[in-house]
Amino acid sequence: MALASSDSQERAGHFGDYGGRFVPEALTAALDELDTTFRSALVDPAFRAELDWLQTTYNGRPSPLSEARRFSAEYCGGARVLLKREDLNHTGSHKINNVLGQALLAVRMGKKRVIAETGAGQHGVATATAAALMGLECTVYMGEEDTQRQALNVARMKLLGAEVIPVTIGSRTLKDAINEAMRDWVTSVDRTHYILGTVTGPAPFPEMVKEFHRVIGSEARVQVLERVGRLPDAVAACVGGGSNAMGIFSAFIDDPQVQLRGYEAGGDGVETGRHAARFSGGSPGVLHGARTYVMQDEWGQTMPSHSISAGLDYPGVGPEHAWLHDTGRAIYEPVNDDEAMRAFAALCRTEGIIPAIESAHGLAGAMRLGRELGPHAVIVVNLSGRGDKDVETAARWFGLDGSSPEVAG
Amino acid sequence: MAALQEKFDAARAENRAVLIGYLPAGFPDYDGCIEAMAIMVESGVDVVEVGLPYSDPLMDGATIQQAVDIALSGGTATPTVLSTVAAIAATGAPTLVMSYWNPIEKYGVEAFARDLAGSGGVGVITPDLTPEESGPWMRATDSAGIDRVYLVAPSSSDERIAVVAGATTGFVYAASTMGVTGTRTTVGSAAGDLVARTRALTDRPIAVGLGVSTGDQAAEVAAYADGVIVGSAFVRALLDAPSRGAGLDAVAALTVSLAAGVRRR
């Protein structure tokens, strides 16, 4: 159940009934310190200048907005699909935007060590990268199952000097990596900052991570206005924890004519129970410090999630998405593994871009949307990451590694 | 709400600390947990803390995680926790539940408080619920007449301790170290300081948990705290034993040693 709105409306760190802080008391002081540091940094021109400088000269921002002409014509009913190219960021995904911001905050707080959880490994790689850049110790927690399916990223993190700890408890995926990172943080909080990688967790993480990804939406809004001369009809993004989606949605939330569409991992299909579709297959609850939609059983035990995409394989979702969902401002739909992989293949062959499998869920959404909205529609898709890390998974899926192709479902 | 207070008053009159013992419900199995708890009470545990096994126990170290996994694999769910409480409360020892927040919210905040009271439970420790998020919980516990116990930590400011102590009833749970549950070779100096700071801000009894596993550590903590909470050491005793009987013997021996410790302040 959700609390009565009178208890939580208009309180800091809440989005309607969602969000908040459900954490051990030991972390309260650190979250307060982080909140204060974050707010002072936001209004400090020197901090903004340093972050902007890193975004430009280190990360390669602004990222381009690419026309996907052949993809649009062949797969999206002729709608004009524009790709926000977060895959071209340094380290290959949007994750670095948030990490650079939080790593600067860690330095500002005088912390010498950063920790992170990672699912697909993109957030872990980005954290290891920023730690190397800023001379911080770095430990990354990663579910053992994910270390196997994302072995390339494990090697990258190690090359960058990070310690990677495989998590062997629970479902051995992102959820359990977050548990372990939280436990580390409780124990080491005086010298350690936890760089949480998505818009989940206790306040101020959801708000802060969105703020550091706001650049995606701000750039895209300017770019689409310049290119097309009007706002898009829809903005689409995949939603795991939901940071890339919050980043691109943020600039369009106040434009009611722009549809916001989030695509969750449908896995083998919501009806099979093997999925990560929190809005279609979950209910309001508390997980990892925030009230949000959670995949849980009738007693409030977290259910294991499933997706071909490690980055979307998570039973919770950012609390602001929960609020956008309930208010109807954004619409969330599941995309099954096989539909995502068809979109993955389509983009490879029509645009010469190998997307992350996470991002392929957003592309599959654009394919649905294009056919729904028709040839005059303009759709911006956040291409949140590149697919190098997924080549092995994709080769196996399509039978390019000598095995027979996996049958969908 | 009087049962806990009576235990603390009685212990104070005897110039000793209260011994609080924890096991997760359903560990090692439903009957085994109740049997072990009964032996703990017979051997000197004053107050029993029944853990509600949860899939994502952020405050717990490897030992309790392992026990919770066993309990959940065995099918433990909220109703079995409540019947475990009923069985243990029948021994006469005040019985608390330790639960992360989501299972309580999912069960229904008012329903949980009411059903726990109906099972003979006297209160709930909520390690991931802060007073700020507790509006409905405070009303539910007040209405059901059960205690709600919140935690303070070495990192808590005095201002924060005052907020937590003001929201708590029964006793204040002082986390001895910055960390998760588990046995440690030393309890750490932070605990004494935290108890002293807390004592200056509240008249409520203060119990110290995290890392206490031996009679000597219990005596050390009993020197400054009103209660000593032991969890992982009991779990460890059951996990390490070669048989059910040996595990229960180990639990009894550990309890006797801890009970002597809280009297040796």
Side-chain angles (χ1 to χ4, degrees):
Chain A
M1 58 158 267
L3 297 182
S5 55
S6 58
D7 287 297
S8 49
Q9 286 271 310
E10 294 174 3
R11 285 196 293 146
H14 291 75
F15 309 92
D17 287 340
Y18 300 105
R21 261 190 206 172
F22 295 82
V23 292
E25 171 61 25
L27 292 179
T28 297
L31 292 168
D32 283 344
E33 179 192 18
L34 179 60
D35 192 78
T36 304
T37 307
F38 165 59
R39 286 179 208 295
S40 75
L42 272 189
V43 295
D44 177 356
F47 178 87
R48 308 267 1 177
E50 189 173 8
L51 182 55
D52 288 350
W53 186 78
L54 285 174
Q55 292 286 22
T56 311
T57 65
Y58 186 73
N59 191 10
R61 302 208 72 91
S63 66
L65 189 71
S66 297
E67 295 278 351
R69 287 200 182 86
R70 296 191 60 226
F71 178 68
S72 300
E74 288 188 35
Y75 293 99
C76 306
R80 186 173 179 184
V81 172
L82 300 163
L83 305 175
K84 181 58 176 165
R85 299 294 304 280
E86 292 299 299
D87 61 316
L88 294 179
N89 288 333
H90 181 44
T91 70
S93 83
H94 70 291
K95 293 292 186 188
I96 189 82
N97 301 324
N98 164 51
V99 165
L100 288 174
Q102 285 201 49
L104 286 177
L105 291 182
V107 171
R108 200 176 170 95
M109 291 184 287
K111 308 245 165 142
K112 305 290 186 213
R113 175 174 179 261
V114 292
I115 57 173
E117 84 295 343
T118 199
Q122 293 301 96
H123 176 60
V125 167
T127 303
T129 297
L133 177 69
M134 300 183 197
L136 302 167
E137 279 175 61
C138 179
T139 300
V140 178
Y141 291 92
M142 188 170 188
E144 191 181 44
E145 186 183 329
D146 293 336
T147 62
Q148 287 158 10
R149 58 180 164 175
Q150 305 287 350
L152 175 70
N153 275 341
V154 174
R156 289 169 80 195
M157 289 183 268
K158 289 180 176 170
L159 287 170
L160 291 161
E163 175 191 22
V164 180
I165 301 184
V167 176
T168 57
I169 51 169
S171 60
R172 306 179 180 205
T173 59
L174 181 55
K175 163 181 98 73
D176 308 284
I178 293 177
N179 289 341
E180 279 301 278
M182 287 274 190
R183 292 184 185 114
D184 179 317
W185 202 30
V186 170
T187 308
S188 64
V189 67
D190 55 334
R191 60 184 297 268
T192 300
H193 174 59
Y194 176 16
I195 301 188
L196 211 158
T198 187
V199 289
T200 55
F205 280 108
E207 180 191 356
M208 180 176 72
V209 174
K210 175 177 89 165
E211 189 58 41
F212 289 137
H213 282 304
R214 189 181 286 281
V215 63
I216 306 171
S218 307
E219 287 176 9
R221 198 172 196 284
V222 171
Q223 288 165 325
V224 72
L225 285 172
E226 267 177 15
R227 185 84 53 83
V228 184
R230 67 173 177 90
L231 288 170
D233 298 285
V235 174
C238 64
V239 181
S243 66
N244 90 83
M246 269 330 300
I248 196 154
F249 287 178
S250 64
F252 301 96
I253 287 175
D254 295 332
D255 301 309
Q257 69 272 41
V258 180
Q259 294 188 33
L260 304 179
R261 298 288 192 118
Y263 295 95
E264 313 182 88
D268 291 345
V270 175
E271 70 287 352
T272 67
R274 284 174 51 77
H275 60 84
R278 293 67 43 99
F279 291 117
S280 310
S283 57
V286 170
L287 179 64
H288 292 146
R291 180 177 290 109
T292 185
Y293 277 75
V294 179
M295 291 172 54
Q296 56 184 330
D297 70 11
E298 62 176 318
W299 305 115
Q301 306 289 341
T302 311
M303 304 276 282
S305 54
H306 169 78
S307 169
I308 189 170
S309 148
L312 304 183
D313 195 347
Y314 178 61
V317 64
E320 191 167 359
H321 284 295
W323 182 75
L324 290 171
H325 171 270
D326 282 11
T327 58
R329 179 63 191 96
I331 292 171
Y332 299 84
E333 294 173 357
V335 168
N336 296 358
D337 287 354
D338 56 342
E339 189 182 353
M341 294 311 287
R342 283 200 299 274
F344 177 97
L347 195 77
C348 290
R349 292 181 183 205
T350 55
E351 299 296 335
I353 297 170
I354 300 177
I357 296 177
E358 288 78 14
S359 315
H361 288 70
L363 294 164
M367 287 162 59
R368 287 186 198 167
L369 265 176
R371 292 190 291 260
E372 177 190 327
L373 299 176
H376 301 294
V378 174
I379 301 166
V380 174
V381 183
N382 198 14
L383 192 63
S384 55
R386 69 179 186 224
D388 305 41
K389 68 186 176 58
D390 295 317
V391 165
E392 206 180 308
T393 302
R396 207 163 45 243
W397 179 274
F398 295 114
L400 306 178
D401 60 347
S403 68
S404 54
E406 288 186 24
V407 181
Chain B
M1 296 174 99
L4 272 179
Q5 191 59 49
E6 281 170 17
K7 280 284 176 190
F8 280 102
D9 289 346
R12 194 167 288 174
E14 294 171 25
N15 190 30
R16 69 171 180 96
V18 165
L19 177 61
I20 303 171
Y22 163 97
L23 279 180
F27 169 77
D29 53 41
Y30 179 77
D31 292 330
C33 173
I34 293 170
E35 204 177 342
M37 292 281 208
I39 286 173
M40 285 158 65
V41 172
E42 274 171 34
S43 311
V45 160
D46 300 296
V47 173
V48 175
E49 183 186 333
V50 177
L52 191 155
Y54 174 54
S55 52
D56 295 276
L58 284 181
M59 267 287 286
D60 287 306
T63 300
I64 291 179
Q65 285 175 46
Q66 195 183 339
V68 161
D69 276 351
I70 291 168
L72 288 174
S73 311
T76 306
T78 309
T80 33
V81 175
L82 292 172
S83 59
T84 300
V85 167
I88 295 160
T91 66
T95 305
L96 295 155
V97 164
M98 198 294 299
S99 180
Y100 292 89
W101 183 243
N102 197 50
I104 294 176
E105 185 160 302
K106 187 69 179 170
Y107 190 90
V109 173
E110 281 174 37
F112 187 84
R114 186 191 62 225
D115 291 354
L116 179 65
S119 304
V122 300
V124 186
I125 301 166
T126 46
D128 61 346
L129 183 69
T130 55
E132 288 79 1
E133 303 287 351
S134 292
W137 181 235
M138 289 188 186
R139 290 191 290 277
T141 45
D142 284 345
S143 148
I146 58 172
D147 282 313
R148 51 176 181 269
V149 176
Y150 296 96
L151 279 72
V152 294
S155 59
S156 303
S157 64
D158 287 354
E159 187 186 7
R160 189 73 202 151
I161 291 172
V163 169
V164 172
T168 206
T169 65
F171 62 91
V172 179
Y173 187 130
S176 68
T177 55
M178 294 298 288
V180 295
T181 58
T183 59
R184 291 179 177 79
T185 47
T186 59
V187 175
S189 58
D193 173 60
L194 175 61
V195 170
R197 290 197 294 131
T198 306
R199 189 148 344 258
L201 294 163
T202 182
D203 294 330
R204 300 247 179 238
I206 303 163
V208 169
L210 301 195
V212 183
S213 60
T214 66
D216 286 347
Q217 288 173 335
E220 183 192 332
V221 170
Y224 53 80
D226 307 305
V228 178
I229 305 168
V230 179
S232 295
F234 285 118
V235 170
R236 194 79 261 161
L238 289 169
L239 282 174
D240 289 349
S243 68
R244 172 71 63 96
L248 295 175
D249 289 346
V251 163
L254 176 62
T255 308
V256 167
S257 158
L258 292 166
V262 299
R263 287 165 173 81
R264 208 167 74 218
R265 52 164 40 162

